[in-house]
Amino acid sequence: MTGFKCLAVPGPTNMPFEVRQAMDVALEDHRAPDFPDFTIPLLNDVKKIFRTETGHAIIFPGSGTGGWESAIANTLNAGDKVLTSSFGQFSWLWVDMCSRFGLDVHNVEVEWGRGVPLGAYREALEKDTNHEIKAVLVCHNETATGVTSSVKAVRELLDDLKHPALLFVDGVSSVGSLEFRMDDWGVDVAVSGSQKGFMLPTGLAIVGVSQKAMEQKKQATLPVCFFDFGDMIKMNAQGYFPYTPPVTLLRGLRASVDMLLDEGLDNVAHRHNRLAEGVRRAVTAWGLNNCAQEAQWHSDTVTAIKMNEGQDANAVIQTAYHDYKVSLGAGLSVLNGKVFRIGHLGWLNETMVLQALGGVELAMRKVGVAFEAGSGVGAAIDFYTETAASNKMAAE
Ligand SMILES: Cc1ncc(COP(=O)(O)O)c(C=O)c1O
């Protein structure tokens, strides 16, 4: 089949040509005398993406999962109590990792489609007068259900109760796309990866670490080696790494960070919000439902679309892929067959979103889902037309 594949999964995302070109370079000496001229400004600029001035930006070879592990292994002791919540595949996997590390996990199970349970968190923290809870985990954007939770609200809760627990945030599908304010929200470890908002291939765990987390690290006894924050910070200060860094990906990261900062992080967030709203209008026009149960949780980076009773989401995904070259995200775990996901993050514009929506319509028509052809695409076009001025303003 001729033509481009349409990559509409929530990561990996589309890679900008600038990023690809930046990585089309000969391999380099990572111990060269001038290597720090490249790495020190890069690490400083990655801090800007996390919006931290006081924290560190740390880049490990790895993926988001490695970032999760780094948060736990650097700051906690076996048996430490952690407050967590699971409301989708990724929030659940991080909780599972906490158990595998021998932590005492106090997990609040939440219906998939809802966000971080602020009430239950308050209750657990209020009861914890001896401050046994050492860390509170938040999945900022649950990619499996398209749910964004308020990190700020969790910070306010901790502050209100004067609770000293560390705040760990999974920002894998939010950092570099949605509003993310590490310092303002008092995030102690913010975890991201290269293949979503950073618009790169998979291969980097990109982590923001606060001074408070580094203080806590002094008392931490879980084994940590490859993901040691201390080793990394020490070597990074001179512009080097404790082991061979993935320099080619770092070259790509330089280009992607430049693109994000040139666009401006507020504009990036605005663009994602506008593109996402077009998708949401399409979902409503098709007569389908957003898996995120309330507007407060609607994610601007991914929409999980719930099919109606008797409709098979996997048939839509398979047909979109095989017949129309459109990759949609599958429903994970209990949502398999029930939802398909459209990723709308990274290097993306209106027409790319419309391509994905058009592909969904073609696939739904082919598998016999009843809807009016063009209704979703039309609703998105109407919205993008109505809001074209706001987009232009944001870009200026
Ligand atoms: C919210 C979230 N957290 C963590 C992960 C795991 O990241 P990785 O697959 O890069 O290890 C993902 C992956 O999609 C994710 O979406």
Side-chain angles (χ1 to χ4, degrees):
M1 202 192 220
T2 53
F4 287 118
K5 274 190 177 173
C6 170
L7 186 62
V9 296
T13 61
N14 293 285
M15 186 160 56
F17 298 117
E18 290 90 328
V19 173
R20 276 198 221 181
Q21 281 160 0
M23 293 192 292
D24 186 10
V25 286
L27 296 185
E28 296 168 70
D29 172 12
H30 60 285
R31 299 191 203 279
D34 60 354
F35 195 57
D37 298 344
F38 166 60
T39 53
I40 290 176
L42 175 63
L43 289 165
N44 277 330
D45 286 344
V46 172
K47 281 171 53 170
K48 293 180 191 161
I49 306 292
F50 282 92
R51 285 189 151 125
T52 181
E53 288 180 9
T54 56
H56 300 275
I58 292 184
I59 303 169
F60 293 112
S63 72
T65 305
W68 282 345
E69 182 158 335
S70 74
I72 296 168
N74 277 281
T75 60
L76 298 175
N77 301 299
D80 272 356
K81 198 165 181 174
V82 290
L83 178 61
T84 65
S85 49
S86 52
F87 41 87
Q89 180 70 359
F90 297 102
S91 45
W92 180 81
L93 282 171
W94 203 9
V95 173
D96 178 58
M97 183 185 274
C98 288
S99 302
R100 293 197 204 187
F101 267 90
L103 302 177
D104 177 8
V105 181
H106 179 99
N107 186 47
V108 185
E109 274 187 39
V110 179
E111 192 187 342
W112 290 27
R114 304 181 71 80
V116 164
L118 292 171
Y121 270 19
R122 173 176 282 278
E123 208 178 302
L125 291 163
E126 261 171 0
K127 271 197 211 142
D128 184 40
T129 45
N130 293 335
H131 296 161
E132 283 171 15
I133 295 172
K134 298 298 174 208
V136 176
L137 271 62
V138 173
C139 182
H140 185 202
N141 190 75
E142 173 52 80
T143 319
T145 56
V147 161
T148 305
S149 293
S150 172
V151 178
K152 184 167 174 263
V154 178
R155 166 45 60 204
E156 284 168 357
L157 193 54
L158 286 163
D159 287 352
D160 191 32
L161 300 173
K162 299 194 172 42
H163 199 293
L166 295 173
L167 178 57
F168 292 172
V169 177
D170 175 340
V172 173
S173 56
S174 66
V175 172
S177 310
L178 307 182
E179 182 185 35
F180 194 90
R181 297 183 176 275
M182 184 170 156
D183 283 359
D184 291 354
W185 298 343
V187 177
D188 294 299
V189 185
V191 175
S192 190
S194 46
Q195 76 275 23
K196 299 192 194 276
F198 286 99
M199 309 172 287
L200 286 160
T202 314
L204 302 176
I206 308 173
V207 184
V209 181
S210 75
Q211 299 297 347
K212 182 173 160 188
M214 290 308 293
E215 271 306 304
Q216 190 70 25
K217 180 171 174 37
K218 292 179 187 157
Q219 286 128 52
T221 54
L222 281 172
V224 64
C225 179
F226 186 78
F227 289 124
D228 195 293
F229 291 160
D231 293 348
M232 196 53 101
I233 288 169
K234 197 165 141 211
M235 292 300 288
N236 283 173
Q238 284 123 51
Y240 296 100
F241 288 75
Y243 37 74
T244 316
V247 181
T248 312
L249 286 173
L250 296 183
R251 287 284 172 197
L253 182 63
R254 177 69 270 172
S256 87
V257 166
D258 284 344
M259 289 180 78
L260 291 168
L261 294 178
D262 283 352
E263 185 175 355
L265 296 179
D266 291 342
N267 294 335
V268 169
H270 175 79
R271 174 167 57 82
H272 280 79
N273 175 258
R274 182 166 169 272
L275 293 177
E277 185 56 30
V279 174
R280 291 190 280 267
R281 302 266 172 129
V283 173
T284 306
W286 291 330
L288 300 178
N289 288 300
N290 196 320
C291 182
Q293 288 181 13
E294 290 174 24
Q296 58 163 324
W297 293 310
H298 284 170
S299 164
D300 286 340
T301 55
V302 52
T303 301
I305 297 146
K306 249 193 348 207
M307 308 275 322
N308 295 323
E309 223 27 63
Q311 297 171 339
D312 179 6
N314 287 340
V316 175
I317 294 165
Q318 296 270 334
T319 305
Y321 185 77
H322 290 299
D323 295 9
Y324 303 111
K325 288 184 126 181
V326 175
S327 277
L328 302 168
L332 301 175
S333 183
V334 294
L335 296 179
N336 192 255
K338 299 195 171 115
V339 312
F340 66 89
R341 295 174 298 148
I342 299 179
H344 32 80
L345 73 164
W347 192 61
L348 208 67
N349 57 32
E350 294 100 326
T351 40
M352 291 162 88
V353 173
L354 293 171
Q355 184 186 11
L357 297 178
V360 168
E361 294 206 1
L362 283 163
M364 290 203 302
R365 178 51 53 105
K366 184 144 190 193
V367 302
V369 174
F371 74 103
E372 191 188 330
S375 56
V377 171
I381 288 177
D382 279 347
F383 177 73
Y384 294 147
T385 307
E386 284 158 24
T387 55
S390 86
N391 193 42
K392 191 158 170 287
M393 260 156 42
E396 277 165 6

